[in-house]
Structure formats: structure tokens, C-alpha cells
């Protein structure tokens, strides 16, 4: 098939998932056309089946707000027509679903009905989309999509709770490419971070308030008081500065490393012992799933879809949002018991295997075939 994928090209989970999906589809022989305003960060391989179309937004002195959505819709039309696309798959509703609706209407005038599949990822529904500024357009464009998917049962529920959705939402969970983690941890790397064999705790996110990185630091300070340990903070964002202050205030500065944005996160995860994700909300928590693929158990909140992937007492532990005490106790308990730790590592990997790309990508292919047939035959 010839598939157009629209996503955010940045480090966020929705862009990562969309890019990994495109790469997996290209490996299976599909032609994948990425339509984004920048080369997606995970699009770092050459594959003859992958095409990249940059959305350019011309500026003009009149525009305080350059109309990105129009440029995106026009680029979609161009790619649909000139590359004979079979379908468009847009990731993150805002503004991708409404731009896709517009593109669909334009090509409809030329007698072509292109199926549009919208995948909801989280904040497009739970945070941004619910805002009255966007809600009517989000509801409309989701309903106008030929198929809607959500990355967890929780997100499906949240979407139906807050929007008047008239179609069934299919849950297709996020996936991870376990083969990327099939390598030996680099001992020298672990030695640099933890020269005295300290335990390595890790967190990765976009450092937005919703991630509660402050809780990560507080949990680490509790652990660090009992167990020799290091904390790796991967990513960057608005809370970074505050976190630097907090690690100083809690006097753990020497044991915390801010690594910034990292492309090769698997190398870092493979030397880690415990992943922390105490978020206020996660529709899924792809970062935690990537940790599990690297045999790393997870201590997380039980918000949103997190308890669908992090099984309490099996792949790690979950606690209520903000319950730093329980999360710290669980971390200390697990890190203190090598046998339990080994079991949790195996459980985490088994969970990641359940969410392996080999199991999930065929579900998207099935959906594509179904909607291509339905829309073309209509
Ligand atoms: O977590 C973020 O702030 C980024 C956001 C995104 O849209 O890239 O992540 C969302 O989508 C990911 C991929 O489906 C999910 O794993 C994250 O849980 C979800 N984030 C939230 O729901 C807050």
C-alpha cells in the first residue's frame, strides 16, 4: 500500500510511535510517505520505501500566526495526488485530523475518496483537545475520520467521556521494537555512570508539568539516602531549570545527571536498573514500555493507561499520583532484593514482548485494508 503518515517530528511519544510504525511498514514493503514540518527524529535510517515531504509554511508580514494547518492540508493533497496514496494515517488529532479532513474534501472534488485514519495519543484529548478553544473542531474532525484508534483503553474511555464521538474507537496499543534492545549493555558505559556499582535509576520525558519530574527527584532522594545510586534524567523541557534547583535543594546534585535529549536511548536504558514515571497522566507511557524492552522494571503512578502496561507487583509497582512515599518504598524494596529484581526484569521484558511491533503492526495493516476496501467500494 501507499500510506501517508502525518505526525509531530519531535521527541514526543506520538511522533516516535508514528515514525516507528512507518519504518516497520516500509520494512514490510509498503511505501510510506511522511508528511511533517521537519525530519522526524527517529527517521534515522535509509529505506527505499520511505519518502519524506516537508511542510513549508511561507511567512507574510500580515500573518502573526502563519497558517500551518492550511500548508499541511495542501501538502497532503499534493502527496495524495502525486504519489497516488491509498490512505492517510494521522497521529495526534490537533491539527492533523482537521487538516486531513480538509485534504480529503479537496481530493473528493476530483473523484478520489481517500480514507483517513486518526490515532489519538493522549494530550490531544485529555489536555489540549478538551479546551473550548479547540473542542468543536476536534470533535468534528475525529468524527469525520474514516477510522479512529486510541493507544489504550483508558484513552478510548476518556475520549468518549469528553467528546461526542459517533464512531467506534478501536484500541491499538503502542508498540516497541524489541529487536533494538537485543544487544549487550555496554559495561564501560555503566562504569562511567556508576563507578562503584551504584544502582541506576532513570527517567525520560519532555519535562512538562504533567510528568511530575519533581516526584522523580524526590523519589530518588529517598532511594539515594538508603541505597548508593545514580539518577539519569533524559530529555528536556520547561521544568528542567526547576529540577536543577530541586536536586541542589535535596542535596543529590552529585548523583544526578541531566543527559538532555537522546536519540540512542536504548544504550542508556540497557545499563539502567529502574525506570521512574510518576506522571499526572499518561494515555499509555511509551517511555516506560521502551524501558521494559530493555529489561528495566518501572515504578509509576497508576494514572491513565499506565496500569494497563505496568502491572503492579509484576513488571514494577504503581501508586496513586503524588504518592512519593509509596513509590520510594517500592523502589527501595525492589532494588534491595536481587532475586526479586531478576524476576521483575524478566516480567518487564515479557510485557514488552506482548507489545512487540510484530504483534501490533499487523493490526494497523488489517485496519488499513478494511477501510481502503470500505471507502473505495462506497
Ligand atoms: O507525553 C507527552 O507529553 C507527549 C505525548 C505525545 O503526544 O507525543 O505523549 C502521548 O502519546 C504517547 C504515544 O502514544 C503516549 O505514550 C503518552 O502516554 C502520551 N502522553 C500523555 O498522555 C501525557
Amino acid at each position: 500500500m501507499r500510506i501517508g503518515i502525518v505526525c509531530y517530528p519531535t521527541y514526543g511519544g506520538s511522533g516516535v510511535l508514528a515514525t516507528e510504525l512507518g519504518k516497520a511498514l516500509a520494512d514490510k514493503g509498503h511505501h510510506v510517505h511522511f508528511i511533517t514540518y521537519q525530519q522526524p527524529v527517529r527517521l534515522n535510517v535509509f529505506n527505499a520505501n520511505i519518502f519524506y515531504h516537508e511542510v513549508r509554511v511561507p511567512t507574510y508580514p500580515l500573518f502573526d500566526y502563519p497558517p500551518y494547518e492550511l500548508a499541511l492540508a495542501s501538502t497532503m493533497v499534493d502527496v495524495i495526488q502525486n504519489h497516488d496514496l491509498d490512505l492517510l494515517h494521522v497521529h495526534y488529532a490537533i491539527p492533523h485530523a482537521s487538516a486531513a479532513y480538509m485534504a480529503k474534501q479537496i481530493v473528493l472534488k476530483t473523484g478520489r475518496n481517500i480514507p483517513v485514519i486518526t490515532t489519538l495519543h493522549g494530550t490531544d484529548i485529555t489536555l489540549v483537545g478538551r479546551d473550548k478553544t479547540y473542542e468543536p473542531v476536534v470533535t468534528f474532525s475525529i468524527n469525520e475520520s474514516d477510522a479512529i484508534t486510541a493507544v489504550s483503553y483508558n484513552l478510548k474511555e476518556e475520549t468518549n467521556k469528553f467528546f461526542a464521538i459517533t464512531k467506534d474507537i478501536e484500541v491499538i496499543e503502542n508498540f516497541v521494537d524489541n529487536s533494538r534492545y537485543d544487544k549487550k549493555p555496554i559495561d564501560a558505559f555503566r562504569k562511567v555512570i556508576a563507578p562503584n556499582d551504584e544502582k541506576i535509576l532513570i527517567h525520560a520525558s519532555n519535562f512538562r508539568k504533567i510528568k511530575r519530574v519533581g516526584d522523580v527527584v524526590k523519589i530518588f532522594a529517598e532511594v539515594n539516602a538508603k541505597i548508593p545510586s545514580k539518577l539519569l534524567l533524559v530529555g528536556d523541557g520547561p521544568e528542567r531549570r526547576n529540577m536543577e534547583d530541586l536536586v541542589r535543594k535535596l542535596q543529590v546534585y552529585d548523583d544526578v545527571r541531566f543527559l538532555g535529549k537522546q536519540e540512542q536511548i536504548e544504550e542508556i536504558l540497557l545499563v539502567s536498573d529502574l525506570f521512574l514515571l510518576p506522571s499526572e497522566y499518561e494515555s499509555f507511557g511509551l517511555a516506560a514500555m521502551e524501558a521494559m524492552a530493555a529489561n528495566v522494571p518501572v515504578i509509576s503512578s497508576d494514572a491513565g493507561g499506565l496500569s494497563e502496561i505496568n502491572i503492579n507487583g509484576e513488571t514494577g509497582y504503581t501508586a496513586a499520583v503524588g504518592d512519593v512515599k509509596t513509590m520510594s518504598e517500592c523502589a527501595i524494596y525492589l532494588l534491595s532484593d536481587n532475586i526479586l529484581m531478576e524476576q521483575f526484569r524478566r516480567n518487564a521484558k515479557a510485557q514488552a514482548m506482548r507489545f512487540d511491533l510484530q504483534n501490533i503492526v499487523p493490526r494497523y495493516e488489517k485496519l488499513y485494508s478494511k477501510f481502503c476496501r470500505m471507502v473505495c467500494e462506497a
Side-chain angles (χ1 to χ4, degrees), residues 16 18 34 43 45 62 81 200 228 234 243 262 285 323:
V16 167
F34 283 97
L43 197 55
V45 288
L62 187 65
Q81 290 177 332
I200 301 178
V234 180
M243 292 310 112
Q262 293 285 335
D323 188 352

Side-chain angles (χ1 to χ4, degrees), residues 12-15 92 121-123 151 174 206 210-211 281-286:
S14 62
Y92 206 90
H121 276 275
T123 46
V151 299
N174 285 334
N206 51 21
I210 198 167
K211 302 293 173 181
Y281 180 81
E282 290 290 342
S283 64
F284 183 88
L286 188 59

Side-chain angles (χ1 to χ4, degrees), residues 61 84 89 95 118 121 163 202 217 231 288 299 332 339 346 373:
D84 202 15
H89 186 177
T118 297
H121 276 275
F163 298 84
I202 180 168
V217 175
L231 173 65
I299 303 283
I332 294 165
I339 294 171
R346 282 196 294 276
R373 264 198 319 276

